[in-house]
Amino acid sequence: MRVVIAEDNVLLREGLQLLLSSSGHEVVGTASTGPEVLPLLLEHRPDVAVLDVRMPPAFRDEGLRAALAAREQLPDLPVLVLSQYVEETYAADLLSGGARGVGYLLKDRVGRVDEFLDALERVAAGGTALDPEVVTELMQRRRDHPLDGLTPREREVLGLMAQGQDNASIAKALVITERSVHKHISNVFAKLGLPPSDTGHRRVLAVLAFLNS
């Protein structure tokens, strides 16, 4: 898998490069400032881009804006954005164009190598990877009747769905069968008044739209 990394922290940038290279991926380019990102992505057209949200010169949202601009010119470009803190607005901006091939993780997640690589590969394959802490914040903000009507297990399934996990991954995480997962998902969609969908990124969009409303 060909990867572009955009990260101003030299230690994290080199650490990511070493991690990805040792995992069999090819880092085809790196950037340390916001203005470098878009030209680099357009030049290399990687299989996936790993971008820091806040980069020089202003340390605001240069990486995120570069990701959004790149996806306008390269609509199929998978992007995994890294952030130091939970910033729901940034996640919403990134997901507004569609959940296919999009990830938003906290930087701490990089230290959990297996989780990070799983998220990266899921995003590269067109899936979604949303940090569990972001999902938790969204669910805590929605303290209304529809969420109150979910059972504890259904809330667990909802959280994993919002992260972009597929049925098999949810079943493994909760140690239940995929048939049970499918039943729980059907119950969740019915209770929340969401249209049923068997398409992964569409159901993620539906869930996130509900949590953000």
Side-chain angles (χ1 to χ4, degrees):
M1 188 163 61
R2 300 170 64 255
V3 186
V4 160
I5 300 171
E7 168 59 57
D8 65 285
N9 183 306
V10 63
L11 291 178
L12 181 55
R13 185 173 66 247
E14 292 184 357
L16 283 168
Q17 190 167 359
L18 179 61
L19 170 62
L20 293 174
S21 298
S22 64
S23 300
H25 304 303
E26 179 186 4
V27 178
V28 295
T30 62
S32 58
T33 69
E36 297 176 69
V37 178
L38 182 57
L40 191 67
L41 294 175
L42 294 177
E43 176 187 354
H44 292 286
R45 297 174 180 257
D47 297 314
V48 62
V50 180
L51 310 176
D52 185 13
V53 169
R54 299 185 177 189
M55 299 186 69
F59 292 98
R60 292 178 181 170
D61 59 357
E62 288 83 356
L64 176 68
R65 294 302 154 201
L68 296 175
R71 282 175 68 88
E72 286 183 2
Q73 298 190 48
L74 302 171
D76 296 327
L77 174 67
V79 173
L80 177 59
V81 170
L82 302 178
S83 179
Q84 189 69 43
Y85 310 103
V86 175
E87 296 171 289
E88 297 170 23
T89 302
Y90 290 160
D93 287 346
L94 185 63
L95 291 162
S96 63
R100 183 179 293 278
V102 171
Y104 182 94
L105 297 180
L106 297 182
K107 288 187 177 181
D108 289 347
R109 202 68 53 185
V110 177
R112 304 174 188 180
V113 174
D114 290 341
E115 289 184 28
F116 172 72
L117 292 175
D118 175 70
L120 183 69
E121 291 169 5
R122 192 168 358 128
V123 169
T128 307
L130 191 59
D131 197 280
E133 290 193 32
V134 176
V135 173
T136 298
E137 293 244 350
L138 291 173
M139 291 182 68
Q140 289 177 343
R141 195 174 67 188
R142 282 299 304 254
R143 293 189 176 277
D144 55 7
H145 177 69
L147 285 184
D148 290 343
L150 300 181
T151 67
R153 178 65 85 192
E154 288 166 353
R155 289 178 67 91
E156 289 178 320
V157 170
L158 174 65
L160 291 169
M161 268 200 298
Q163 293 172 36
Q165 300 283 356
D166 60 19
N167 287 14
S169 298
I170 294 173
K172 182 178 180 180
L174 300 181
V175 196
I176 57 178
T177 65
E178 287 190 47
R179 183 176 180 181
S180 295
V181 171
H182 180 76
K183 181 179 179 180
H184 288 310
I185 290 174
S186 297
N187 290 341
V188 168
F189 272 68
K191 290 181 179 180
L192 299 185
L194 298 172
S197 174
D198 293 326
T199 306
H201 76 282
R202 287 182 179 175
R203 81 181 189 189
V204 171
L205 279 178
V207 169
L208 291 177
F210 173 82
L211 293 176
N212 272 305
S213 62

